[in-house]
Amino acid sequence: MCGIVGYVGKEEALPILLHGLKRLEYRGYDSSGISIRNHDEDPVIVKAEGKLENLIEKTNDGLLFHSNSGIGHTRWATHGCPTETNAHPHHSDDYNVIGVHNGIIENYQELKDKLIRHGYTFYSETDTEVLIKLVDYYCKKYKQGPIDAINKTVVRARGSYAIALMCKNYPNQVWFAKKGSPLIVAKGEDGCYLASDVPAILKYTKNVYYVDDFECGVITGDEVKFFDLNGDDITDKKVLTEIDLPQDSIELKDYSYYMEKEIAEQPRAIKDTIDKYLTDENKIDFPSLGITQEFLNNLDEIYIFACGSAYHAGVVGQHVIEDLAGVNVRVELASEFKYRNYKMNPRSLAIVISQSGETKDTYEAMIKAKKYGIKTLAICNVKGSTIARDADYNCYTYAGPEIAVATTKAYSCQLIVLYLFALFLARTKYAIDKEKYYELIDEVKEIPAKVTKTIECRKQVQKLSARFTEKTNVFFIGRGIDYAVCMEGSLKLKEITYINSNAYAAGELKHGTISLIEKGVAVISIATQPDLLDKTVSNMVEVKARDGSVVALTTKGNDVEGASKYQIYIPDINPIFAASLAVIPLQQLAFYTSLNRGINPDKPRNLAKSVTVE
Ligand code: F6R
């Protein structure tokens, strides 16, 4: 969602801030702004609606002003429309405090009323303006420095925030605080930085501090200082971490779109994830898993919490874990689970899946499980993310940075971790014998090569995509694991093409949905599960009989030609791992259809890469 960047140092601040904002664009935004300052001169604020290019143009490509410090922001509107007035930075009336904010202040109205009683007026509809003016109020009321004012503000504000502030009497300094929204600060050779996400600063430094909740601090040209809620200096307790990411991992290289690049990167990403956990002796080694044999033996049930595509990966995981390890799995939409009065089983494990590791709903579901005393295992792609840091155990995916809004390679790596977890559990609980285990491990090791082969069929999918360009409704049907893939294929299509699409368990078709099938309606039927093939083929025939246009997505060798108009074949694979291949043509179909419709697949409207509000 929103992005924050800040800098103080020897270099020109404005180009650094604009570069950082460019790198944060992928998170999703609808306006942007910067505030910069040259030493103790007056600060300048520039804001723009819409694309970052508008801000870049307004600042003459970053050449408009000299500056050595500043803050920048990309805003994804929550309180108030995406106008220039509502864009950040916001400022107190006398520009004593200028700031940017990610997150939501839940009690902003109450705080606003308090400030109005003290003579403050407001020019925007945002909760951020309230937050900034509250810091200003405390600065003036108690005649104390920014740390005390920030801490007083933090104690009063409910909700989540990462903030970066500039204060009139403190040139060459940028202040920060965090609760619930990610924030890193970093030291480079020519200055210090802060950002809501690593790509913003990766060009300049790899040495970062993760800011923890209820910490605040300041960056100057050459140092970073941290304080706790009491105002005590805790800098010595903080650990500088080196980011393990090459700068070119976030470059487009020869591709026109990140989504295209990330689809192509899947064999590498999957292999890297397998290699991290599989030893030379084909044992699964989850080094960060302190889970004991006794714990696993006593395990009654597994919960999986996630949102969006990560939830869809969880549904595949449910089938694989239940089939291989014989442990019951409940997969829950994290965004719904918190509203349930469900009594969690204490003899369980909660797996939370999140690419970003910042999804608020998923985080809340994890915290709910923790309140029941249930151990939590996070499958995240971003090291040091909030979910990863607060989970009991971590099994990272090694997809590398995912920039396109629609997930592809991270989803594929989530599947791999779930397969390996299922195999690990199955072997630990002796649910499968050694022979079966090694046979399945060999199959997992073949997935990267098979994904490469599947990707190579893109020309056929691209051709097929032309038939989807003008569609207004698409259905996906399948059973079991195939249904889980349907949900993912359908989400991919709708989010980046804006075509209405729906996934149905094929057996549900006759319970209502079939009334929508008429001439020309496109139905993508996934049929990779041999045990379910006949039944799904019957559903295809039913659609065909009503003049629906059926695309069958199946494994080589399956006879679906009579029941469908078009066929896409994936390489032969053990059905339990078929999701890893079946999802590829669906990613490609969404990608090419999006291009056909003149949409930038990397930045679909209204969407944010990391959803940090509920
Ligand atoms: C769809 C997509 C989203 C995310 C969802 C969860 O392409 O990317 O549905 O899967 O917002 O995000 P994470 O995995 O970061 O928790």
Side-chain angles (χ1 to χ4, degrees), residues 127-171:
D127 51 347
T128 305
E129 188 188 351
V130 177
L131 196 69
I132 302 307
K133 290 188 171 168
L134 195 61
V135 177
D136 176 65
Y137 167 78
Y138 285 126
C139 276
K140 288 172 179 155
K141 180 170 178 191
Y142 295 102
K143 300 194 173 44
Q144 288 170 327
I147 288 300
D148 292 299
I150 290 171
N151 274 339
K152 286 195 171 64
T153 304
V154 158
V155 169
R156 291 298 305 270
R158 273 202 317 272
S160 62
Y161 52 80
I163 48 176
L165 306 173
M166 295 163 78
C167 301
K168 194 186 236 161
N169 298 329
Y170 300 84

mmCIF file of all heavy atoms in Angstrom, residues 127-171:
data_model
loop_
_atom_site.group_PDB
_atom_site.id
_atom_site.type_symbol
_atom_site.label_atom_id
_atom_site.label_comp_id
_atom_site.label_asym_id
_atom_site.label_seq_id
_atom_site.Cartn_x
_atom_site.Cartn_y
_atom_site.Cartn_z
ATOM 1 N N ASP A 127 -6.326 11.039 8.108
ATOM 2 C CA ASP A 127 -5.951 10.779 9.497
ATOM 3 C C ASP A 127 -4.504 11.229 9.734
ATOM 4 O O ASP A 127 -4.104 11.551 10.851
ATOM 5 C CB ASP A 127 -6.141 9.293 9.839
ATOM 6 C CG ASP A 127 -5.478 8.363 8.836
ATOM 7 O OD1 ASP A 127 -5.073 8.826 7.745
ATOM 8 O OD2 ASP A 127 -5.355 7.156 9.134
ATOM 9 N N THR A 128 -3.737 11.290 8.656
ATOM 10 C CA THR A 128 -2.316 11.654 8.780
ATOM 11 C C THR A 128 -2.149 13.097 9.246
ATOM 12 O O THR A 128 -1.304 13.390 10.100
ATOM 13 C CB THR A 128 -1.621 11.462 7.414
ATOM 14 O OG1 THR A 128 -1.849 10.128 7.008
ATOM 15 C CG2 THR A 128 -0.143 11.745 7.502
ATOM 16 N N GLU A 129 -2.984 13.986 8.695
ATOM 17 C CA GLU A 129 -2.875 15.387 9.108
ATOM 18 C C GLU A 129 -3.110 15.489 10.624
ATOM 19 O O GLU A 129 -2.451 16.265 11.314
ATOM 20 C CB GLU A 129 -3.891 16.235 8.326
ATOM 21 C CG GLU A 129 -3.695 17.716 8.578
ATOM 22 C CD GLU A 129 -4.804 18.582 7.981
ATOM 23 O OE1 GLU A 129 -5.647 18.061 7.227
ATOM 24 O OE2 GLU A 129 -4.826 19.786 8.298
ATOM 25 N N VAL A 130 -4.041 14.671 11.124
ATOM 26 C CA VAL A 130 -4.338 14.680 12.562
ATOM 27 C C VAL A 130 -3.094 14.245 13.350
ATOM 28 O O VAL A 130 -2.701 14.871 14.340
ATOM 29 C CB VAL A 130 -5.537 13.743 12.862
ATOM 30 C CG1 VAL A 130 -5.816 13.674 14.347
ATOM 31 C CG2 VAL A 130 -6.769 14.188 12.085
ATOM 32 N N LEU A 131 -2.479 13.184 12.855
ATOM 33 C CA LEU A 131 -1.294 12.643 13.547
ATOM 34 C C LEU A 131 -0.173 13.683 13.600
ATOM 35 O O LEU A 131 0.465 13.887 14.643
ATOM 36 C CB LEU A 131 -0.833 11.393 12.771
ATOM 37 C CG LEU A 131 0.115 10.457 13.477
ATOM 38 C CD1 LEU A 131 -0.619 9.753 14.612
ATOM 39 C CD2 LEU A 131 0.637 9.407 12.504
ATOM 40 N N ILE A 132 0.060 14.334 12.471
ATOM 41 C CA ILE A 132 1.150 15.320 12.378
ATOM 42 C C ILE A 132 0.861 16.490 13.322
ATOM 43 O O ILE A 132 1.745 16.970 14.042
ATOM 44 C CB ILE A 132 1.280 15.849 10.915
ATOM 45 C CG1 ILE A 132 1.524 14.702 9.932
ATOM 46 C CG2 ILE A 132 2.346 16.933 10.800
ATOM 47 C CD1 ILE A 132 2.654 13.802 10.238
ATOM 48 N N LYS A 133 -0.407 16.915 13.337
ATOM 49 C CA LYS A 133 -0.756 18.071 14.178
ATOM 50 C C LYS A 133 -0.735 17.705 15.661
ATOM 51 O O LYS A 133 -0.515 18.564 16.514
ATOM 52 C CB LYS A 133 -2.099 18.658 13.732
ATOM 53 C CG LYS A 133 -1.923 19.330 12.368
ATOM 54 C CD LYS A 133 -3.099 20.108 11.867
ATOM 55 C CE LYS A 133 -2.653 20.885 10.620
ATOM 56 N NZ LYS A 133 -3.762 21.462 9.874
ATOM 57 N N LEU A 134 -0.954 16.422 15.935
ATOM 58 C CA LEU A 134 -0.865 15.996 17.341
ATOM 59 C C LEU A 134 0.595 16.069 17.813
ATOM 60 O O LEU A 134 0.877 16.490 18.935
ATOM 61 C CB LEU A 134 -1.425 14.569 17.475
ATOM 62 C CG LEU A 134 -1.744 14.113 18.888
ATOM 63 C CD1 LEU A 134 -2.810 15.012 19.542
ATOM 64 C CD2 LEU A 134 -2.240 12.663 18.898
ATOM 65 N N VAL A 135 1.513 15.670 16.951
ATOM 66 C CA VAL A 135 2.943 15.775 17.313
ATOM 67 C C VAL A 135 3.278 17.249 17.542
ATOM 68 O O VAL A 135 3.927 17.618 18.538
ATOM 69 C CB VAL A 135 3.857 15.182 16.195
ATOM 70 C CG1 VAL A 135 5.325 15.381 16.557
ATOM 71 C CG2 VAL A 135 3.565 13.704 15.968
ATOM 72 N N ASP A 136 2.789 18.103 16.656
ATOM 73 C CA ASP A 136 3.035 19.546 16.781
ATOM 74 C C ASP A 136 2.472 20.071 18.112
ATOM 75 O O ASP A 136 3.131 20.821 18.834
ATOM 76 C CB ASP A 136 2.365 20.244 15.590
ATOM 77 C CG ASP A 136 2.480 21.744 15.670
ATOM 78 O OD1 ASP A 136 3.623 22.239 15.595
ATOM 79 O OD2 ASP A 136 1.443 22.426 15.832
ATOM 80 N N TYR A 137 1.260 19.605 18.428
ATOM 81 C CA TYR A 137 0.603 20.036 19.665
ATOM 82 C C TYR A 137 1.461 19.669 20.894
ATOM 83 O O TYR A 137 1.693 20.499 21.772
ATOM 84 C CB TYR A 137 -0.782 19.372 19.729
ATOM 85 C CG TYR A 137 -1.459 19.454 21.058
ATOM 86 C CD1 TYR A 137 -2.087 20.639 21.471
ATOM 87 C CD2 TYR A 137 -1.484 18.357 21.917
ATOM 88 C CE1 TYR A 137 -2.716 20.714 22.697
ATOM 89 C CE2 TYR A 137 -2.105 18.427 23.151
ATOM 90 C CZ TYR A 137 -2.721 19.608 23.545
ATOM 91 O OH TYR A 137 -3.327 19.685 24.769
ATOM 92 N N TYR A 138 1.938 18.413 20.909
ATOM 93 C CA TYR A 138 2.737 17.988 22.069
ATOM 94 C C TYR A 138 4.098 18.685 22.108
ATOM 95 O O TYR A 138 4.618 18.982 23.181
ATOM 96 C CB TYR A 138 2.908 16.462 22.077
ATOM 97 C CG TYR A 138 1.638 15.746 22.514
ATOM 98 C CD1 TYR A 138 1.074 14.757 21.727
ATOM 99 C CD2 TYR A 138 1.019 16.077 23.714
ATOM 100 C CE1 TYR A 138 -0.089 14.109 22.119
ATOM 101 C CE2 TYR A 138 -0.152 15.429 24.112
ATOM 102 C CZ TYR A 138 -0.701 14.449 23.321
ATOM 103 O OH TYR A 138 -1.850 13.820 23.708
ATOM 104 N N CYS A 139 4.677 18.940 20.924
ATOM 105 C CA CYS A 139 5.963 19.669 20.877
ATOM 106 C C CYS A 139 5.794 21.017 21.580
ATOM 107 O O CYS A 139 6.612 21.426 22.388
ATOM 108 C CB CYS A 139 6.373 19.971 19.433
ATOM 109 S SG CYS A 139 7.234 18.647 18.609
ATOM 110 N N LYS A 140 4.688 21.687 21.224
ATOM 111 C CA LYS A 140 4.492 23.052 21.737
ATOM 112 C C LYS A 140 4.014 23.047 23.188
ATOM 113 O O LYS A 140 4.483 23.832 24.001
ATOM 114 C CB LYS A 140 3.495 23.790 20.842
ATOM 115 C CG LYS A 140 4.141 24.124 19.508
ATOM 116 C CD LYS A 140 3.152 24.682 18.530
ATOM 117 C CE LYS A 140 3.873 25.007 17.229
ATOM 118 N NZ LYS A 140 2.964 24.986 16.088
ATOM 119 N N LYS A 141 3.118 22.138 23.500
ATOM 120 C CA LYS A 141 2.539 22.141 24.847
ATOM 121 C C LYS A 141 3.621 21.868 25.908
ATOM 122 O O LYS A 141 3.675 22.521 26.930
ATOM 123 C CB LYS A 141 1.432 21.085 24.938
ATOM 124 C CG LYS A 141 0.796 21.057 26.307
ATOM 125 C CD LYS A 141 -0.445 20.225 26.379
ATOM 126 C CE LYS A 141 -0.944 20.262 27.822
ATOM 127 N NZ LYS A 141 -1.972 19.305 28.072
ATOM 128 N N TYR A 142 4.454 20.886 25.644
ATOM 129 C CA TYR A 142 5.426 20.495 26.672
ATOM 130 C C TYR A 142 6.813 21.070 26.419
ATOM 131 O O TYR A 142 7.741 20.808 27.168
ATOM 132 C CB TYR A 142 5.494 18.962 26.782
ATOM 133 C CG TYR A 142 4.194 18.379 27.277
ATOM 134 C CD1 TYR A 142 3.295 17.787 26.403
ATOM 135 C CD2 TYR A 142 3.847 18.476 28.624
ATOM 136 C CE1 TYR A 142 2.086 17.274 26.851
ATOM 137 C CE2 TYR A 142 2.638 17.971 29.084
ATOM 138 C CZ TYR A 142 1.760 17.369 28.199
ATOM 139 O OH TYR A 142 0.572 16.875 28.650
ATOM 140 N N LYS A 143 6.947 21.824 25.328
ATOM 141 C CA LYS A 143 8.233 22.437 24.962
ATOM 142 C C LYS A 143 9.368 21.418 25.062
ATOM 143 O O LYS A 143 10.420 21.665 25.637
ATOM 144 C CB LYS A 143 8.514 23.656 25.847
ATOM 145 C CG LYS A 143 7.445 24.731 25.708
ATOM 146 C CD LYS A 143 7.884 26.045 26.293
ATOM 147 C CE LYS A 143 6.913 27.163 26.029
ATOM 148 N NZ LYS A 143 5.490 26.873 26.202
ATOM 149 N N GLN A 144 9.060 20.220 24.528
ATOM 150 C CA GLN A 144 10.062 19.160 24.558
ATOM 151 C C GLN A 144 10.469 18.824 23.122
ATOM 152 O O GLN A 144 9.841 19.275 22.164
ATOM 153 C CB GLN A 144 9.484 17.914 25.223
ATOM 154 C CG GLN A 144 9.306 18.085 26.717
ATOM 155 C CD GLN A 144 8.504 16.935 27.301
ATOM 156 O OE1 GLN A 144 7.624 16.387 26.653
ATOM 157 N NE2 GLN A 144 8.804 16.591 28.535
ATOM 158 N N GLY A 145 11.503 18.005 22.997
ATOM 159 C CA GLY A 145 11.990 17.638 21.671
ATOM 160 C C GLY A 145 11.038 16.671 20.973
ATOM 161 O O GLY A 145 10.067 16.191 21.569
ATOM 162 N N PRO A 146 11.321 16.357 19.717
ATOM 163 C CA PRO A 146 10.426 15.488 18.940
ATOM 164 C C PRO A 146 10.199 14.113 19.561
ATOM 165 O O PRO A 146 9.096 13.585 19.481
ATOM 166 C CB PRO A 146 11.140 15.363 17.594
ATOM 167 C CG PRO A 146 12.016 16.563 17.506
ATOM 168 C CD PRO A 146 12.416 16.911 18.901
ATOM 169 N N ILE A 147 11.210 13.526 20.198
ATOM 170 C CA ILE A 147 11.025 12.165 20.720
ATOM 171 C C ILE A 147 9.887 12.122 21.735
ATOM 172 O O ILE A 147 9.023 11.249 21.684
ATOM 173 C CB ILE A 147 12.351 11.629 21.337
ATOM 174 C CG1 ILE A 147 13.339 11.330 20.209
ATOM 175 C CG2 ILE A 147 12.129 10.388 22.210
ATOM 176 C CD1 ILE A 147 12.869 10.298 19.197
ATOM 177 N N ASP A 148 9.899 13.085 22.656
ATOM 178 C CA ASP A 148 8.826 13.088 23.664
ATOM 179 C C ASP A 148 7.466 13.328 23.023
ATOM 180 O O ASP A 148 6.472 12.696 23.387
ATOM 181 C CB ASP A 148 9.099 14.153 24.724
ATOM 182 C CG ASP A 148 10.309 13.762 25.534
ATOM 183 O OD1 ASP A 148 10.254 12.704 26.171
ATOM 184 O OD2 ASP A 148 11.319 14.486 25.473
ATOM 185 N N ALA A 149 7.449 14.250 22.061
ATOM 186 C CA ALA A 149 6.168 14.554 21.394
ATOM 187 C C ALA A 149 5.686 13.336 20.599
ATOM 188 O O ALA A 149 4.494 13.005 20.606
ATOM 189 C CB ALA A 149 6.346 15.758 20.478
ATOM 190 N N ILE A 150 6.609 12.666 19.935
ATOM 191 C CA ILE A 150 6.220 11.472 19.150
ATOM 192 C C ILE A 150 5.690 10.399 20.109
ATOM 193 O O ILE A 150 4.643 9.790 19.884
ATOM 194 C CB ILE A 150 7.420 10.934 18.323
ATOM 195 C CG1 ILE A 150 7.760 11.906 17.194
ATOM 196 C CG2 ILE A 150 7.118 9.540 17.765
ATOM 197 C CD1 ILE A 150 9.051 11.605 16.456
ATOM 198 N N ASN A 151 6.396 10.180 21.206
ATOM 199 C CA ASN A 151 5.958 9.139 22.142
ATOM 200 C C ASN A 151 4.588 9.452 22.734
ATOM 201 O O ASN A 151 3.757 8.560 22.901
ATOM 202 C CB ASN A 151 7.001 8.949 23.246
ATOM 203 C CG ASN A 151 8.077 7.964 22.808
ATOM 204 O OD1 ASN A 151 7.854 7.163 21.890
ATOM 205 N ND2 ASN A 151 9.245 8.034 23.422
ATOM 206 N N LYS A 152 4.363 10.713 23.039
ATOM 207 C CA LYS A 152 3.037 11.084 23.574
ATOM 208 C C LYS A 152 1.956 10.820 22.512
ATOM 209 O O LYS A 152 0.871 10.325 22.810
ATOM 210 C CB LYS A 152 3.023 12.554 23.982
ATOM 211 C CG LYS A 152 3.790 12.795 25.272
ATOM 212 C CD LYS A 152 3.477 14.155 25.874
ATOM 213 C CE LYS A 152 4.064 14.307 27.257
ATOM 214 N NZ LYS A 152 5.538 14.260 27.308
ATOM 215 N N THR A 153 2.280 11.134 21.271
ATOM 216 C CA THR A 153 1.332 10.918 20.168
ATOM 217 C C THR A 153 1.032 9.434 20.002
ATOM 218 O O THR A 153 -0.117 9.008 19.864
ATOM 219 C CB THR A 153 1.925 11.487 18.854
ATOM 220 O OG1 THR A 153 2.230 12.853 19.066
ATOM 221 C CG2 THR A 153 0.959 11.338 17.695
ATOM 222 N N VAL A 154 2.101 8.650 20.042
ATOM 223 C CA VAL A 154 1.998 7.210 19.835
ATOM 224 C C VAL A 154 1.105 6.569 20.903
ATOM 225 O O VAL A 154 0.324 5.661 20.626
ATOM 226 C CB VAL A 154 3.437 6.631 19.859
ATOM 227 C CG1 VAL A 154 3.465 5.173 20.177
ATOM 228 C CG2 VAL A 154 4.136 6.947 18.548
ATOM 229 N N VAL A 155 1.211 7.063 22.108
ATOM 230 C CA VAL A 155 0.410 6.514 23.199
ATOM 231 C C VAL A 155 -1.077 6.825 22.974
ATOM 232 O O VAL A 155 -1.945 6.026 23.282
ATOM 233 C CB VAL A 155 0.906 7.078 24.560
ATOM 234 C CG1 VAL A 155 -0.051 6.754 25.680
ATOM 235 C CG2 VAL A 155 2.291 6.531 24.868
ATOM 236 N N ARG A 156 -1.362 7.985 22.357
ATOM 237 C CA ARG A 156 -2.759 8.379 22.138
ATOM 238 C C ARG A 156 -3.376 7.758 20.878
ATOM 239 O O ARG A 156 -4.589 7.582 20.794
ATOM 240 C CB ARG A 156 -2.859 9.916 22.009
ATOM 241 C CG ARG A 156 -2.585 10.684 23.264
ATOM 242 C CD ARG A 156 -3.569 10.370 24.373
ATOM 243 N NE ARG A 156 -4.975 10.565 24.000
ATOM 244 C CZ ARG A 156 -5.650 11.689 24.135
ATOM 245 N NH1 ARG A 156 -5.066 12.738 24.676
ATOM 246 N NH2 ARG A 156 -6.916 11.781 23.768
ATOM 247 N N ALA A 157 -2.530 7.461 19.888
ATOM 248 C CA ALA A 157 -3.073 7.033 18.585
ATOM 249 C C ALA A 157 -3.326 5.522 18.582
ATOM 250 O O ALA A 157 -2.415 4.745 18.889
ATOM 251 C CB ALA A 157 -2.105 7.406 17.476
ATOM 252 N N ARG A 158 -4.553 5.140 18.200
ATOM 253 C CA ARG A 158 -4.866 3.711 18.050
ATOM 254 C C ARG A 158 -4.782 3.359 16.573
ATOM 255 O O ARG A 158 -5.152 4.163 15.723
ATOM 256 C CB ARG A 158 -6.284 3.426 18.533
ATOM 257 C CG ARG A 158 -6.397 3.134 20.000
ATOM 258 C CD ARG A 158 -7.677 2.346 20.327
ATOM 259 N NE ARG A 158 -8.852 2.829 19.643
ATOM 260 C CZ ARG A 158 -9.652 3.786 20.110
ATOM 261 N NH1 ARG A 158 -9.389 4.355 21.269
ATOM 262 N NH2 ARG A 158 -10.723 4.164 19.433
ATOM 263 N N GLY A 159 -4.325 2.149 16.283
ATOM 264 C CA GLY A 159 -4.259 1.734 14.882
ATOM 265 C C GLY A 159 -2.850 1.349 14.519
ATOM 266 O O GLY A 159 -2.080 0.885 15.363
ATOM 267 N N SER A 160 -2.514 1.549 13.262
ATOM 268 C CA SER A 160 -1.174 1.160 12.838
ATOM 269 C C SER A 160 -0.519 2.338 12.126
ATOM 270 O O SER A 160 -1.201 3.145 11.502
ATOM 271 C CB SER A 160 -1.263 -0.030 11.881
ATOM 272 O OG SER A 160 -1.991 0.352 10.742
ATOM 273 N N TYR A 161 0.764 2.402 12.263
ATOM 274 C CA TYR A 161 1.453 3.510 11.596
ATOM 275 C C TYR A 161 2.936 3.207 11.426
ATOM 276 O O TYR A 161 3.538 2.443 12.186
ATOM 277 C CB TYR A 161 1.313 4.822 12.405
ATOM 278 C CG TYR A 161 1.731 4.642 13.842
ATOM 279 C CD1 TYR A 161 3.067 4.654 14.199
ATOM 280 C CD2 TYR A 161 0.779 4.402 14.820
ATOM 281 C CE1 TYR A 161 3.446 4.436 15.517
ATOM 282 C CE2 TYR A 161 1.142 4.175 16.135
ATOM 283 C CZ TYR A 161 2.484 4.197 16.480
ATOM 284 O OH TYR A 161 2.846 3.949 17.763
ATOM 285 N N ALA A 162 3.482 3.797 10.379
ATOM 286 C CA ALA A 162 4.928 4.015 10.264
ATOM 287 C C ALA A 162 4.981 5.477 9.860
ATOM 288 O O ALA A 162 4.279 5.888 8.931
ATOM 289 C CB ALA A 162 5.520 3.135 9.193
ATOM 290 N N ILE A 163 5.750 6.282 10.607
ATOM 291 C CA ILE A 163 5.780 7.707 10.258
ATOM 292 C C ILE A 163 7.215 8.195 10.088
ATOM 293 O O ILE A 163 8.152 7.672 10.710
ATOM 294 C CB ILE A 163 5.061 8.604 11.306
ATOM 295 C CG1 ILE A 163 5.497 8.269 12.736
ATOM 296 C CG2 ILE A 163 3.580 8.527 11.172
ATOM 297 C CD1 ILE A 163 4.886 9.198 13.796
ATOM 298 N N ALA A 164 7.359 9.195 9.234
ATOM 299 C CA ALA A 164 8.642 9.888 9.079
ATOM 300 C C ALA A 164 8.336 11.376 9.143
ATOM 301 O O ALA A 164 7.413 11.855 8.476
ATOM 302 C CB ALA A 164 9.279 9.528 7.750
ATOM 303 N N LEU A 165 9.086 12.089 9.978
ATOM 304 C CA LEU A 165 8.771 13.492 10.259
ATOM 305 C C LEU A 165 9.997 14.379 10.114
ATOM 306 O O LEU A 165 11.121 13.950 10.401
ATOM 307 C CB LEU A 165 8.295 13.647 11.712
ATOM 308 C CG LEU A 165 7.137 12.796 12.206
ATOM 309 C CD1 LEU A 165 6.965 12.985 13.704
ATOM 310 C CD2 LEU A 165 5.866 13.207 11.487
ATOM 311 N N MET A 166 9.722 15.625 9.709
ATOM 312 C CA MET A 166 10.771 16.644 9.744
ATOM 313 C C MET A 166 10.279 17.751 10.675
ATOM 314 O O MET A 166 9.107 18.125 10.613
ATOM 315 C CB MET A 166 10.994 17.214 8.346
ATOM 316 C CG MET A 166 11.535 16.170 7.385
ATOM 317 S SD MET A 166 11.323 16.681 5.681
ATOM 318 C CE MET A 166 12.646 17.847 5.528
ATOM 319 N N CYS A 167 11.166 18.251 11.532
ATOM 320 C CA CYS A 167 10.758 19.271 12.497
ATOM 321 C C CYS A 167 11.583 20.531 12.276
ATOM 322 O O CYS A 167 12.808 20.456 12.091
ATOM 323 C CB CYS A 167 10.954 18.773 13.923
ATOM 324 S SG CYS A 167 10.013 17.286 14.240
ATOM 325 N N LYS A 168 10.876 21.657 12.323
ATOM 326 C CA LYS A 168 11.466 22.953 11.942
ATOM 327 C C LYS A 168 12.801 23.221 12.652
ATOM 328 O O LYS A 168 13.793 23.596 12.019
ATOM 329 C CB LYS A 168 10.465 24.062 12.286
ATOM 330 C CG LYS A 168 10.796 25.389 11.655
ATOM 331 C CD LYS A 168 9.828 26.439 12.171
ATOM 332 C CE LYS A 168 9.098 27.135 11.056
ATOM 333 N NZ LYS A 168 7.891 27.805 11.484
ATOM 334 N N ASN A 169 12.837 22.984 13.958
ATOM 335 C CA ASN A 169 14.042 23.350 14.715
ATOM 336 C C ASN A 169 15.124 22.282 14.690
ATOM 337 O O ASN A 169 16.102 22.378 15.423
ATOM 338 C CB ASN A 169 13.665 23.636 16.176
ATOM 339 C CG ASN A 169 12.715 24.799 16.250
ATOM 340 O OD1 ASN A 169 12.777 25.697 15.407
ATOM 341 N ND2 ASN A 169 11.799 24.776 17.216
ATOM 342 N N TYR A 170 14.923 21.270 13.877
ATOM 343 C CA TYR A 170 15.898 20.166 13.831
ATOM 344 C C TYR A 170 16.308 19.878 12.388
ATOM 345 O O TYR A 170 15.936 18.854 11.819
ATOM 346 C CB TYR A 170 15.312 18.912 14.482
ATOM 347 C CG TYR A 170 14.957 19.128 15.932
ATOM 348 C CD1 TYR A 170 13.734 19.696 16.296
ATOM 349 C CD2 TYR A 170 15.862 18.802 16.940
ATOM 350 C CE1 TYR A 170 13.407 19.931 17.608
ATOM 351 C CE2 TYR A 170 15.542 19.029 18.277
ATOM 352 C CZ TYR A 170 14.317 19.593 18.603
ATOM 353 O OH TYR A 170 14.009 19.820 19.921
ATOM 354 N N PRO A 171 17.048 20.792 11.758
ATOM 355 C CA PRO A 171 17.466 20.546 10.372
ATOM 356 C C PRO A 171 18.406 19.338 10.336
ATOM 357 O O PRO A 171 18.959 18.939 11.372
ATOM 358 C CB PRO A 171 18.205 21.827 9.989
ATOM 359 C CG PRO A 171 18.600 22.464 11.273
ATOM 360 C CD PRO A 171 17.581 22.061 12.295
#
